[in-house]
Amino acid sequence: MLGIGSIAKKVFGSANDRKVKSARPLVAQINALEPQFQALSDDDLKAKTNEFRDRALKGESLDALLPEAFANCREAARRALGLWAFDTQLLGGIFLHQGNIAEMKTGEGKTLVATFPAYLNALTGKGVHIVTVNDYLARRDAEWMSKVYGALGMTTGVVVPEQGEADKKAAYACDVTYATNNELGFDYLRDNMKSELDQMYQRYHNFAIVDEVDSILIDEARTPLIISGPAQDRSEMYAAINKVIPDILPEHYTLDEKARQATFTEEGNDFLEERLTALGLLPDGQTLYDPESATLVHHVSQALRAHVLFTREKDYIVRDDQVVLIDEFTGRMMNGRRLSDGLHQAIEAKEGVGIKPENVTLASVTFQNYFRLYDKLGGMTGTAATEADEFREIYNLGVVEVPTNRPVARADEHDQVYRTAKEKFDGVVAEIKQAHAKGQPILVGTTSIEKSEFLAGLLRAEGITFNVLNARQHEQEAQIVADAGKLNAVTIATNMAGRGTDIQLGGNVEMRVLQALATDPQADPEALRARIEAEVADEKEKVKAAGGLFVLATERHESRRIDNQLRGRSGRQGDPGRSTFFLSLEDDLMRIFGSERLEKVLSGLGMKEGEAIVHPWVNKSLERAQAKVEARNFDIRKQLLKFDDVMNEQRKVVFHQRREIMESADLADVVKDMRDQVIDDLVTIHMPPKSYADQWDAEGLQADVVAHLGLDLPVVGWAAEEGVDDDVMRERLEEAADKYMGEKADAFGAETMRNVEKQILLKTIDEKWREHLLTLEHLRSVVGMRGYAQRDPLNEYKTEGFQLFEKLLDSLRTDVTKKLSQIRPMSKEEQERMIAQFRQQQAAAAAAMVAPAIAAEGARAGFDENDPATWGNLGRNDLCPCGSGKKFKHCHGRLA
Ligand code: ADP
Ligand code: MG
């Protein structure tokens, strides 16, 4: 029976249908422009771009320019790539421009789709970023699509790690820039650690198009990007704690496998207290419940988690004396990613590999908050609809399902459910043998490397040749995936390995041409291509006859989206194909989340050994279980984000301030405001409003004025004068401080003083901010524990985080004022002593503060700003003594 909802859908069409329908007239307009643009010369196409730029500059909206710009881009792609964009691709491009996620299936040509909105939005000159899931794809897509942008007279850049600074800046200066989410996020953080504007990479956050958007904004959104520096080495502590864990008994802790949490029971605490005291880790007489034990308790819990919740080959692998994490969704290695809060060290201790020092956070941002920086955001993927709520709620992104260019002909079969994993895998092998006998290409999906390898063993025993695609070989991922559609190919892959590479039936012409050229560079590329095209076309027919690509999944994933992603690798552009899932009651999803009811019903249906149950009801209830897990994971991400939002607001304030400081030519006013505020606060403390003279603490004020302003003033005498109240005191202090700082500025010279002020401001902000980040991290774990006291951790965190931030601003003012009052031009002896001290300490922070003072003094004492030989020993981050205002390392100290 149809529900009201579905009846309405039948009559009025779904909301999605309406969105698609409303964009059709635009597509018709673009189509109508075809002859006009086809008639243009190659140069005319480029000239059109300049015309559009002018019109945009004069205020014409991008929406109004869309039809012509898209028509121009379509024509350019035809000439540059030989691809005539389908109407569905134009639709996708329109939805991206409108700030949506375009859900387009694998093989629909999303790489080309992105060029349309990218071109249109780059017309304003603020640049467009196209975001890919890995560097390989960033390079591939940039190279491939640069031909289109080039034909349109636009520049293309690609940002990859380990690129030189100049190359990276140039890439960001292009009209369209391809980069991974990681690199973009890191560059944003790096930019905000710099002290000069012209060193910053990113220009604007104008428009980002995120490819494989679900992977980036959902799967990867749980781990923040962190730039960190090493803290003190505590490897002995980790090793010592690690020794205790194997003796812990099951009754010592409770396990929440879903939440990945382990908590000690009272019994466990008693046991630990005894052991830790004996080992000297817990001081005599101290209990684990004392606040001083918080750090120890924290690390012992982490060690326990490392042992019972993290499994080698599933959650991580050990390679080159390192613990490398594996993405639970994609099975990819996450090189360089480390678990935080000492958990990674705990796993390193467990595996007996080198324990790297814990890192302290210097800067961090989540992908959610990075991508929310953009004025406009668009995304593309084959699978977004199941997560539409999350995209809407977190990113304000709508999802539009774009119809496929040709109808999907893939047959999605019902799940086959076995009793045990063993029976399931016997079934899988039998199914593979059957399909393989026909030559049908098979893509087998697994959820972990461990299972991939288990299955590989089974197939080997059957004498079947296959490729294994997993996190260990991701360099070759693309190549193997590209071959997965060939006749007889059997490919085992962890769930989404090789995302972004199209599986074409019969093989991938481009890849094979490149391969052939690599082995025989002498060959004639044209002839080679013709031969390979013919071979692939021939093979494609045979593969089609064998039924197309067969996707066989060996487990359902926690999220329906990941299952759909795997399915969607088959049946591109109307190709035949089939997909099926083999499951067992022993699968994780069934074990942890499957309801008892499901098991009852299944046994009611009469499960027999070695036989699968196939029933639409099973699929339904599994999907319900998945939906529940999805909702729970969304809640976790939402909660994380709420915590991160606290820091995000503060980060925005700090980064904004930094930028303003870098941009301003003169900071004297800012610095004076800070100083006045400090004076105001000091007076308020020692001479409170509405108090009598005998209640004042004039001695205290006098001492604080020395400490904060570097001024020895007769404050006690002033306070005793007739008619002096707190306001008069403020005036006198401000006047004295202004005069003192004014003299200093004269002694340094205006130019130097400006630089000194800027550097001190930036340095102090950075120091304070880093300290603050660490405090926030601690606060976060502390409020988590307070949850037991019936208080809302988030609210506590918000309130206290805000208080901490106010304190930060407070101490920023005080510190800057203090530091500036302390700097002064130096005598020759002082200078030499200071230089010697530099050599010893190599403390970059101190150098930047004091060096200008040396330069200024030098001007009077045998120092010649035109003769580097007289400059003495300088830090690389010091201002160059030649007076250019640049850092030494960027000026006379530049290497080579
Ligand atoms: P997706 O990212 O949607 O999975 P890709 O962008 O990787 O798809 O493109 C898949 C294949 O489709 C590529 O080989 C590409 O050359 C081809 N393709 C894209 N657009 C067209 C088109 N308009 N006509 C013919 N082939 C196309
Ligand atoms: Mg793609």
Side-chain angles (χ1 to χ4, degrees):
M1 201 185 77
L2 288 176
I4 298 282
S6 27
I7 290 174
K9 249 183 216 171
K10 281 242 147 87
V11 180
F12 303 112
S14 69
N16 195 73
D17 292 342
R18 283 196 298 277
K19 281 185 214 159
V20 172
K21 213 172 144 202
S22 72
R24 292 274 185 205
L26 275 175
V27 174
Q29 251 178 295
I30 301 162
N31 278 326
L33 290 166
E34 180 187 352
Q36 188 185 323
F37 280 82
Q38 200 173 11
L40 297 177
S41 73
D42 288 355
D43 284 340
D44 289 343
L45 295 188
K46 294 193 180 94
K48 274 284 171 195
T49 300
N50 284 331
E51 179 203 317
F52 298 154
R53 280 181 174 137
D54 275 352
R55 284 161 60 186
L57 201 69
K58 295 206 177 90
E60 191 166 338
S61 74
L62 293 182
D63 289 341
L65 285 165
L66 188 147
E68 287 167 83
F70 274 38
N72 203 28
C73 185
R74 196 184 206 183
E75 184 58 34
R78 166 149 67 191
R79 295 185 197 180
L81 303 176
L83 297 177
W84 180 245
F86 307 124
D87 284 2
T88 50
Q89 288 176 301
L90 299 180
L91 275 175
I94 292 168
F95 295 129
L96 288 175
H97 165 69
Q98 293 170 346
N100 292 295
I101 290 174
E103 189 188 84
M104 299 181 75
K105 306 262 175 282
T106 308
E108 289 295 303
K110 292 186 283 292
T111 321
L112 180 61
V113 169
T115 60
F116 291 88
Y119 172 60
L120 176 62
N121 284 268
L123 290 171
T124 57
K126 288 186 172 179
V128 173
H129 297 169
I130 299 186
V131 189
T132 62
V133 284
N134 60 46
D135 298 321
Y136 163 78
L137 291 172
R139 281 205 193 85
R140 183 198 74 177
D141 293 356
E143 197 186 295
W144 191 11
M145 294 302 139
S146 68
K147 301 193 179 97
V148 180
Y149 301 115
L152 290 162
M154 279 202 169
T155 52
T156 317
V158 57
V159 170
V160 287
E162 283 120 37
Q163 196 171 27
E165 286 197 19
D167 288 348
K168 192 168 243 182
K169 261 198 89 171
Y172 276 114
C174 289
D175 291 305
V176 183
T177 307
Y178 286 80
T180 63
N181 49 326
N182 278 340
E183 214 43 32
L184 285 169
F186 278 133
D187 282 342
Y188 168 67
L189 294 176
R190 287 181 194 121
D191 270 354
N192 285 291
M193 294 165 82
K194 290 181 179 154
S195 60
E196 268 141 80
L197 269 185
D198 65 0
Q199 295 175 349
M200 291 178 89
Y201 298 130
Q202 299 185 345
R203 299 183 293 149
Y204 302 95
H205 295 107
N206 175 38
F207 178 36
I209 300 172
V210 185
D211 195 8
E212 307 290 354
V213 65
D214 57 322
S215 172
I216 291 177
L217 293 188
I218 292 186
D219 298 336
E220 296 207 24
R222 295 175 308 169
T223 334
L225 285 177
I226 295 176
I227 292 188
S228 52
Q232 76 198 93
D233 183 4
R234 288 198 284 184
S235 44
E236 278 176 26
M237 177 199 70
Y238 287 110
I241 290 178
N242 186 59
K243 288 210 192 83
V244 180
I245 305 298
D247 299 339
I248 290 178
L249 303 170
E251 60 264 34
H252 289 151
Y253 61 89
T254 54
L255 204 60
D256 182 346
E257 218 175 317
K258 285 189 203 175
R260 287 210 144 183
Q261 285 296 343
T263 324
F264 289 105
T265 59
E266 210 155 311
E267 224 180 323
N269 267 320
D270 291 346
F271 167 81
L272 282 172
E273 254 170 37
E274 196 181 305
R275 291 294 301 270
L276 295 170
T277 311
L279 281 167
L281 287 167
L282 190 66
D284 275 333
Q286 189 173 315
T287 77
L288 283 179
Y289 295 100
D290 293 335
E292 296 79 29
S293 308
T295 302
L296 186 60
V297 173
H298 171 78
H299 287 297
V300 176
S301 329
Q302 296 294 57
L304 179 66
R305 287 177 71 197
H307 277 263
V308 299
L309 291 170
F310 285 80
T311 315
R312 187 168 164 162
E313 306 299 326
K314 177 164 169 275
D315 301 298
Y316 63 88
I317 59 171
V318 174
R319 213 180 60 156
D320 305 334
D321 198 42
Q322 285 190 33
V323 170
V324 181
L325 298 178
I326 293 172
D327 185 309
E328 97 182 77
F329 291 95
T330 62
R332 281 212 188 96
M333 281 193 296
M334 302 198 286
N335 274 317
R337 285 271 186 102
R338 290 176 68 84
L339 294 161
S340 58
D341 299 334
L343 187 53
H344 214 92
Q345 285 78 6
I347 298 176
E348 286 169 335
K350 168 186 162 193
E351 294 296 341
V353 303
I355 299 174
K356 288 175 207 58
E358 237 173 305
N359 277 346
V360 285
T361 304
L362 303 181
S364 86
V365 69
T366 56
F367 287 127
Q368 282 106 326
N369 280 320
Y370 174 73
F371 283 108
R372 290 203 285 199
L373 288 173
Y374 284 85
D375 297 336
K376 187 163 77 180
L377 194 59
M380 348 182 254
T381 175
T383 47
T386 48
E387 259 76 347
D389 289 345
E390 182 158 355
F391 286 122
R392 163 69 58 214
E393 210 173 305
I394 308 275
Y395 300 97
N396 195 26
L397 279 170
V399 175
V400 185
E401 295 171 55
V402 180
T404 51
N405 178 47
R406 295 184 185 185
V408 178
R410 184 188 63 236
D412 295 329
E413 294 163 8
H414 290 312
D415 296 351
Q416 313 230 6
V417 187
Y418 290 83
R419 291 188 324 171
T420 63
K422 188 190 168 301
E423 291 162 58
K424 170 178 82 174
F425 277 106
D426 287 346
V428 167
V429 172
E431 190 77 32
I432 292 176
K433 275 168 73 176
Q434 210 177 38
H436 188 58
K438 294 188 291 183
Q440 183 172 27
I442 309 166
L443 178 69
V444 194
T446 67
T447 52
S448 69
I449 297 182
E450 209 181 11
K451 283 171 189 155
S452 279
E453 272 165 13
F454 173 70
L455 188 63
L458 295 181
L459 292 188
R460 221 171 273 129
E462 294 288 336
I464 296 176
T465 350
F466 54 86
N467 273 313
V468 183
L469 192 65
N470 61 33
R472 282 192 184 151
Q473 299 155 335
H474 79 248
E475 290 85 357
Q476 306 153 29
E477 257 181 27
Q479 185 61 58
I480 296 180
V481 170
D483 284 343
K486 284 173 140 177
L487 214 53
N488 293 314
V490 178
T491 313
I492 305 177
T494 44
N495 262 333
M496 290 190 309
R499 240 197 201 213
T501 306
D502 198 21
I503 302 181
Q504 302 190 3
L505 302 186
N508 184 309
V509 175
E510 302 304 321
M511 289 261 189
R512 286 196 44 197
V513 170
L514 287 179
Q515 230 175 356
L517 278 177
T519 45
D520 180 12
Q522 255 39 291
D524 169 21
E526 294 297 313
L528 203 63
R529 173 177 292 272
R531 186 178 51 103
I532 290 174
E533 269 175 5
E535 275 173 27
V536 167
D538 179 51
E539 188 162 339
K540 180 171 180 172
E541 287 313 309
K542 290 186 186 140
V543 171
K544 274 183 168 176
L549 180 65
F550 175 26
V551 168
L552 199 174
T554 56
E555 206 166 318
R556 262 187 190 273
H557 200 274
E558 279 189 12
S559 148
R560 288 168 295 172
R561 181 170 46 85
I562 311 293
D563 292 343
N564 293 340
Q565 187 68 226
L566 183 63
R567 272 207 162 115
R569 311 228 51 152
S570 160
R572 63 178 293 284
Q573 292 286 346
D575 286 343
R578 83 183 254 233
S579 78
T580 187
F581 279 69
F582 275 57
L583 314 173
S584 90
L585 296 180
E586 290 174 353
D587 294 353
D588 283 348
L589 185 72
M590 301 274 209
R591 244 176 3 92
I592 307 178
F593 302 101
S595 63
E596 278 173 31
R597 202 165 140 242
L598 175 63
E599 241 187 282
K600 267 200 204 110
V601 169
L602 285 174
S603 50
L605 289 169
M607 294 195 87
K608 292 200 199 79
E609 190 174 338
E611 261 179 40
I613 287 218
V614 184
H615 198 281
W617 193 86
V618 176
N619 304 359
K620 284 247 169 57
S621 63
L622 270 173
E623 276 172 20
R624 267 198 298 275
Q626 285 175 308
K628 258 189 243 158
V629 185
E630 286 162 18
R632 198 178 52 86
N633 284 336
F634 178 26
D635 276 344
I636 294 172
R637 288 191 291 266
K638 238 188 335 201
Q639 191 67 8
L640 272 179
L641 191 60
K642 281 185 188 150
F643 274 92
D644 188 61
D645 279 345
V646 174
M647 195 221 282
N648 193 47
E649 287 310 307
Q650 303 179 352
R651 175 177 38 232
K652 279 203 268 192
V653 173
V654 168
F655 284 8
H656 179 77
Q657 288 277 318
R658 276 190 111 265
R659 218 188 149 101
E660 274 195 349
I661 292 170
M662 285 198 274
E663 278 166 357
S664 30
D666 192 349
L667 291 160
D669 286 350
V670 176
V671 170
K672 175 166 163 52
D673 281 347
M674 289 185 150
R675 191 165 62 232
D676 290 351
Q677 185 68 49
V678 169
I679 292 172
D680 189 29
D681 291 346
L682 286 180
V683 174
T684 308
I685 292 168
H686 296 289
M687 301 169 70
K690 294 194 192 117
S691 62
Y692 297 106
D694 58 358
Q695 293 170 307
W696 295 348
D697 174 17
E699 283 89 5
L701 182 57
Q702 183 158 337
D704 273 354
V705 167
V706 176
H708 287 89
L709 304 171
L711 286 173
D712 196 2
L713 297 171
V715 173
V716 177
W718 289 350
E721 278 176 35
E722 194 63 33
V724 170
D725 61 3
D726 52 341
D727 280 339
V728 174
M729 185 62 81
R730 280 191 185 90
E731 269 166 42
R732 289 194 186 176
L733 290 177
E734 278 178 26
E735 201 176 306
D738 289 350
K739 181 161 166 282
Y740 178 59
M741 292 312 292
E743 284 163 6
K744 236 184 248 258
D746 290 344
F748 280 114
E751 172 81 29
T752 312
M753 191 65 190
R754 270 201 288 275
N755 278 321
V756 170
E757 283 169 350
K758 190 177 276 193
Q759 296 307 323
I760 286 185
L761 262 174
L762 289 176
K763 272 233 141 62
T764 316
I765 288 183
D766 291 350
E767 277 165 25
K768 295 281 157 199
W769 176 239
R770 282 167 200 180
E771 234 172 76
H772 182 68
L773 286 179
L774 196 64
T775 320
L776 280 183
E777 266 172 43
H778 292 161
L779 178 65
R780 201 162 157 169
S781 62
V782 171
V783 295
M785 292 186 225
R786 285 187 205 153
Y788 295 112
Q790 311 300 318
R791 281 179 289 192
D792 175 19
L794 181 62
N795 274 338
E796 302 255 307
Y797 180 72
K798 271 187 190 158
T799 320
E800 292 180 31
F802 183 71
Q803 287 165 357
L804 283 170
F805 191 63
E806 286 198 313
K807 279 207 187 107
L808 176 152
L809 296 178
D810 239 24
S811 68
L812 177 67
R813 279 195 290 270
T814 318
D815 274 29
V816 168
T817 305
K818 238 188 215 175
K819 282 181 192 162
L820 281 172
S821 76
Q822 284 161 358
I823 56 150
R824 64 200 161 83
M826 292 181 194
S827 70
K828 192 114 205 312
E829 297 83 69
E830 278 178 308
Q831 195 178 317
E832 272 160 15
R833 203 166 353 111
M834 203 52 127
I835 289 171
Q837 207 178 322
F838 277 169
R839 288 206 189 112
Q840 282 173 356
Q841 297 180 340
Q842 296 269 312
M849 261 176 54
V850 191
I854 298 172
E857 166 66 12
R860 263 164 283 134
F863 170 92
D864 179 358
E865 66 174 2
N866 296 316
D867 180 7
T870 64
W871 293 354
N873 199 24
L874 288 160
R876 304 207 24 86
N877 284 313
D878 299 346
L879 286 172
C880 193
C882 76
S884 64
K886 289 189 195 155
K887 283 187 177 178
F888 181 59
K889 67 179 175 192
H890 295 305
C891 193
H892 281 79
R894 198 204 302 263
L895 303 170

mmCIF file of all heavy atoms in Angstrom, residues 107 109-111 137 140-141 211-212 380 499-501, ligand 2:
data_model
loop_
_atom_site.group_PDB
_atom_site.id
_atom_site.type_symbol
_atom_site.label_atom_id
_atom_site.label_comp_id
_atom_site.label_asym_id
_atom_site.label_seq_id
_atom_site.Cartn_x
_atom_site.Cartn_y
_atom_site.Cartn_z
ATOM 1 N N GLY A 107 31.473 7.242 -12.669
ATOM 2 C CA GLY A 107 31.543 7.132 -14.118
ATOM 3 C C GLY A 107 30.684 8.138 -14.861
ATOM 4 O O GLY A 107 30.647 8.154 -16.096
ATOM 5 N N GLY A 109 31.292 11.209 -14.904
ATOM 6 C CA GLY A 109 32.186 12.263 -15.399
ATOM 7 C C GLY A 109 32.225 13.504 -14.524
ATOM 8 O O GLY A 109 32.199 14.639 -15.020
ATOM 9 N N LYS A 110 32.354 13.297 -13.225
ATOM 10 C CA LYS A 110 32.326 14.434 -12.291
ATOM 11 C C LYS A 110 33.561 15.338 -12.415
ATOM 12 O O LYS A 110 33.484 16.529 -12.164
ATOM 13 C CB LYS A 110 32.190 13.921 -10.845
ATOM 14 C CG LYS A 110 30.834 13.279 -10.578
ATOM 15 C CD LYS A 110 30.642 12.913 -9.130
ATOM 16 C CE LYS A 110 31.392 11.661 -8.739
ATOM 17 N NZ LYS A 110 30.859 10.430 -9.367
ATOM 18 N N THR A 111 34.687 14.747 -12.835
ATOM 19 C CA THR A 111 35.893 15.558 -12.972
ATOM 20 C C THR A 111 35.643 16.699 -13.951
ATOM 21 O O THR A 111 36.033 17.848 -13.716
ATOM 22 C CB THR A 111 37.058 14.681 -13.481
ATOM 23 O OG1 THR A 111 36.979 13.408 -12.861
ATOM 24 C CG2 THR A 111 38.386 15.318 -13.161
ATOM 25 N N LEU A 137 45.098 12.027 -7.157
ATOM 26 C CA LEU A 137 43.939 12.564 -7.878
ATOM 27 C C LEU A 137 44.059 14.067 -8.116
ATOM 28 O O LEU A 137 43.631 14.575 -9.148
ATOM 29 C CB LEU A 137 42.647 12.251 -7.123
ATOM 30 C CG LEU A 137 42.243 10.765 -7.111
ATOM 31 C CD1 LEU A 137 41.063 10.544 -6.186
ATOM 32 C CD2 LEU A 137 41.918 10.278 -8.523
ATOM 33 N N ARG A 140 46.350 14.280 -11.072
ATOM 34 C CA ARG A 140 45.710 13.757 -12.277
ATOM 35 C C ARG A 140 44.657 14.732 -12.794
ATOM 36 O O ARG A 140 44.642 15.090 -13.967
ATOM 37 C CB ARG A 140 45.056 12.402 -11.957
ATOM 38 C CG ARG A 140 44.411 11.741 -13.173
ATOM 39 C CD ARG A 140 43.410 10.660 -12.809
ATOM 40 N NE ARG A 140 42.155 11.223 -12.303
ATOM 41 C CZ ARG A 140 41.090 10.509 -11.976
ATOM 42 N NH1 ARG A 140 41.134 9.181 -12.082
ATOM 43 N NH2 ARG A 140 39.992 11.084 -11.522
ATOM 44 N N ASP A 141 43.782 15.169 -11.899
ATOM 45 C CA ASP A 141 42.678 16.022 -12.332
ATOM 46 C C ASP A 141 43.168 17.388 -12.792
ATOM 47 O O ASP A 141 42.646 17.957 -13.752
ATOM 48 C CB ASP A 141 41.649 16.174 -11.204
ATOM 49 C CG ASP A 141 40.944 14.861 -10.894
ATOM 50 O OD1 ASP A 141 41.217 13.874 -11.625
ATOM 51 O OD2 ASP A 141 40.138 14.808 -9.952
ATOM 52 N N ASP A 211 35.339 17.129 -4.187
ATOM 53 C CA ASP A 211 35.053 15.852 -4.852
ATOM 54 C C ASP A 211 35.057 14.761 -3.784
ATOM 55 O O ASP A 211 35.755 14.873 -2.788
ATOM 56 C CB ASP A 211 36.125 15.584 -5.914
ATOM 57 C CG ASP A 211 35.717 14.482 -6.880
ATOM 58 O OD1 ASP A 211 34.544 14.041 -6.818
ATOM 59 O OD2 ASP A 211 36.561 14.050 -7.693
ATOM 60 N N GLU A 212 34.300 13.701 -4.006
ATOM 61 C CA GLU A 212 34.144 12.636 -3.003
ATOM 62 C C GLU A 212 33.791 13.277 -1.662
ATOM 63 O O GLU A 212 34.391 12.989 -0.618
ATOM 64 C CB GLU A 212 35.428 11.801 -2.877
ATOM 65 C CG GLU A 212 35.969 11.237 -4.179
ATOM 66 C CD GLU A 212 35.106 10.132 -4.773
ATOM 67 O OE1 GLU A 212 34.128 9.704 -4.117
ATOM 68 O OE2 GLU A 212 35.382 9.711 -5.912
ATOM 69 N N MET A 380 30.642 16.923 -4.729
ATOM 70 C CA MET A 380 30.166 15.881 -5.630
ATOM 71 C C MET A 380 30.566 14.523 -5.069
ATOM 72 O O MET A 380 31.607 14.386 -4.436
ATOM 73 C CB MET A 380 30.778 15.986 -7.022
ATOM 74 C CG MET A 380 31.516 17.258 -7.344
ATOM 75 S SD MET A 380 32.117 17.260 -9.017
ATOM 76 C CE MET A 380 33.876 16.994 -8.765
ATOM 77 N N ARG A 499 38.979 4.855 -4.697
ATOM 78 C CA ARG A 499 37.949 5.848 -5.007
ATOM 79 C C ARG A 499 38.511 6.854 -5.980
ATOM 80 O O ARG A 499 39.662 7.253 -5.880
ATOM 81 C CB ARG A 499 37.569 6.599 -3.732
ATOM 82 C CG ARG A 499 36.125 6.458 -3.367
ATOM 83 C CD ARG A 499 35.733 7.531 -2.360
ATOM 84 N NE ARG A 499 34.524 7.094 -1.664
ATOM 85 C CZ ARG A 499 33.580 7.917 -1.236
ATOM 86 N NH1 ARG A 499 33.700 9.200 -1.387
ATOM 87 N NH2 ARG A 499 32.519 7.448 -0.640
ATOM 88 N N GLY A 500 37.708 7.265 -6.910
ATOM 89 C CA GLY A 500 38.184 8.302 -7.821
ATOM 90 C C GLY A 500 38.698 7.739 -9.130
ATOM 91 O O GLY A 500 38.830 8.451 -10.100
ATOM 92 N N THR A 501 39.015 6.448 -9.158
ATOM 93 C CA THR A 501 39.433 5.854 -10.420
ATOM 94 C C THR A 501 38.296 5.004 -10.961
ATOM 95 O O THR A 501 37.735 4.178 -10.261
ATOM 96 C CB THR A 501 40.697 4.997 -10.240
ATOM 97 O OG1 THR A 501 41.697 5.796 -9.632
ATOM 98 C CG2 THR A 501 41.209 4.504 -11.562
HETATM 99 MG MG MG B 2 35.626 11.034 -9.641
#
